[in-house]
Amino acid sequence: MTGQRFATATFLSALCALLMSSCGDGGGNPQGPSGGGGGGGTVGATITITSAGVSPKNVTVTAGSRVTFVNNDNRAHDMSSDPHPDHTDCPAATVGDIQPGQSRATQNLNTVRTCGFHDHNQPSATSLTGTIQIQ
């Protein structure tokens, strides 16, 4: 019986691993914008938000990757693509509301270009603006 139990346990472990790996992120992005979906791109850069602003202000990533915004400030931020208020230049770079202590990733940034970003709630605060260069 011990051999049969081992075989069953091995089979169940393999089945679970197969199911988990085939699920992916379902086209959704749990850290990305609501309704967004990146589809599994790698994180190409991380931008940290503090009370002093964003750092770094300018990042370069490869096409298909994502940028993660980490909110280390004590207030929420709404990071969006330029221009304000339309956010139409790089919609995939808009991550939306990020509460203190949270992080959110962009969708996959597939088009080679430079995307500006800002805090939608403070569009004139230059400390909360920057660029994402996609190569």
Side-chain angles (χ1 to χ4, degrees), residues 38-126:
T42 60
V43 174
T46 299
I47 298 172
T48 303
I49 307 164
T50 67
S51 59
V54 295
S55 179
K57 290 183 72 60
N58 305 299
V59 296
T60 301
V61 298
T62 58
S65 61
R66 301 180 194 193
V67 173
T68 299
F69 286 85
V70 178
N71 187 358
N72 286 340
D73 196 358
N74 61 2
R75 61 180 292 180
H77 292 276
D78 186 350
M79 303 312 289
S80 302
S81 167
D82 287 345
H84 180 76
D86 300 323
H87 315 130
T88 54
D89 283 353
C90 298
T94 295
V95 297
D97 272 337
I98 311 170
Q99 296 301 312
Q102 288 185 331
S103 64
R104 295 189 66 154
T106 66
Q107 295 179 26
N108 289 350
L109 302 169
N110 297 317
T111 304
V112 174
R113 60 181 160 181
T114 300
C115 300
F117 65 86
H118 63 277
D119 184 335
H120 175 76
N121 296 324
Q122 302 176 68
S124 61
T126 57

